[in-house]
Amino acid sequence: MAALFESSFATPLFFSSNANNNNSATSKSPSHDLRFHHTHTHTHSHTPSSSSPSLQPQPEPDSDSTRDRRRAVRVAWEKLVRWSRSWRSKNKTDVLERTKKVVVLGGGSFGTAMAAHVANRKAELEVNMLVRDPQVCFSINERHCNCKYFPDHWLPDNVVATTDAKSALLNADYCLHAVPVQFSASFLESVADYVDPSLPFISLSKGLELNTLRMMAQIIPQALRNPRQPFVALSGPSFALELMNKLPTAMVVASKDKKLANKVQQLLASSHLRISTSSDVTGVEIAGALKNVLAIAAGIVEGMNLGNNSMAALVSQGCSEIRWLATKMGAKPTTITGLSGTGDIMLTCFVNLSRNRTVGVRLGLGEKLEDILSSMNQVAEGVSTAGAVIALAQKYNVKMPVLTAVARIIDNELTPKKAVFELMSLPQVEEV
């Protein structure tokens, strides 16, 4: 729950309308009845006396102390709700009202999901998607769906696709950059002439450029030849499919420009998407990049069927390695334990929808990396990022055994089985 309170409320609190029903159903389920029953197989028949303690949870007596406790909980909750409503009314802005056009660079799954989300914020808002695939462009404009990634999801009527960079970027108020990291520099260089110097770029891309070790906060202004290009990083635990289905999601926007971060928060926050703000761009970006590599490791553990103990040990070790490197690079430790760090790590490492985890699972099952990648229609950024992570670890003199092992497996210099043996053979040291 801590991640939900990283910053002031930007959207209404999440309420579960069926929570009481679920609890009621659970309490009535036979599988939850912990009382002992005798059966005919018992050697000695025994009837529990009325004084015998029951193992089934008993309702609290309606005493004065119980009523006081419940009243205190209710009052605390009501204060929280009132504070939330008061904060929202005081901090309401006209950002959405003043925004006329948003451009999304890239026609992948996450870019499409964010385009649909922004378009749903205001029917009059023009949302242009700049895509390179003519077939995807046609399906978005004529069938109102992305035939490649979301063939069964209807896109709002105000989402329009184009392959023309000049028309897409013309008069845009905000730009959502959803091009994979490894292709971002060359793509941005090709459209730089059409980008307004004051156009805010909201990066959805997670990863590190392999040869230069650059993050998106460096790639975008350098590729556009404008060191002052407004920049925001959007990150956090968010699968595109669940965004498309409007399921409750929480993310964080990070920028050195606090006013810009607040504007983007107001633009994106909705009843099903919470947006926190941060000034720690390095922490948000490095956590978002490294979690993809750790997800490959988690997938390998799953594929090798090493068990839950191994999974917990590996992910916790990986979290420590990410924290060690990130803080050496200037990130705040609280960022690494927040939405863009621990939150995204948990989602990517433990859920089957994760592309990077899927790569790891198949590696753990013995498949070759080239066969895995050739069968995928989306980019698993962790594969490219792994090598960059090791270069950063050497640069900042940080030992990262788990993430280093992933890089060596990807380079085909170590088998998953050998990697497990080597990791388990490391010195027994004090936890830090």
Side-chain angles (χ1 to χ4, degrees), residues 250-272:
M251 303 179 72
V252 59
V253 291
S255 178
K256 294 179 180 179
D257 183 341
K258 186 176 181 179
K259 290 183 178 179
L260 178 58
N262 289 335
K263 288 180 180 179
V264 174
Q265 179 187 54
Q266 294 297 325
L267 175 69
L268 300 180
S270 73
S271 59
H272 61 272

Side-chain angles (χ1 to χ4, degrees), residues 7 105 108 150 154 165-166 285 319 340 352 360 371 402 421-422:
S7 71
L105 306 182
F150 295 113
W154 181 269
K166 184 176 181 180
E285 284 222 84
C319 287
S340 60
N352 289 331
D371 294 335
V402 167
F421 174 79
E422 293 291 351

Side-chain angles (χ1 to χ4, degrees), residues 33-90:
D33 190 347
L34 301 179
R35 290 173 295 185
F36 290 110
H37 302 277
H38 20 275
T39 69
H40 293 296
T41 58
H42 289 170
T43 304
H44 301 287
S45 176
H46 172 68
T47 302
S49 65
S50 59
S51 61
S52 299
S54 172
L55 294 181
Q56 185 176 13
Q58 299 297 314
E60 291 184 77
D62 196 17
S63 63
D64 290 342
S65 60
T66 300
R67 285 193 295 271
D68 289 343
R69 180 188 61 76
R70 290 175 177 171
R71 187 181 301 112
V73 172
R74 184 175 65 254
V75 168
W77 178 254
E78 290 171 351
K79 284 183 178 179
L80 183 64
V81 172
R82 284 197 300 271
W83 168 73
S84 172
R85 291 171 179 166
S86 173
W87 189 94
R88 290 199 307 274
S89 64
K90 291 177 181 177

Side-chain angles (χ1 to χ4, degrees), residues 208 210 213 293 382-393 403 406-407 410-411:
L208 298 168
L210 184 56
L213 309 183
V293 184
V383 175
S384 300
T385 303
V389 168
I390 305 315
L392 277 177
L403 301 189
V406 174
I410 287 173
D411 290 341

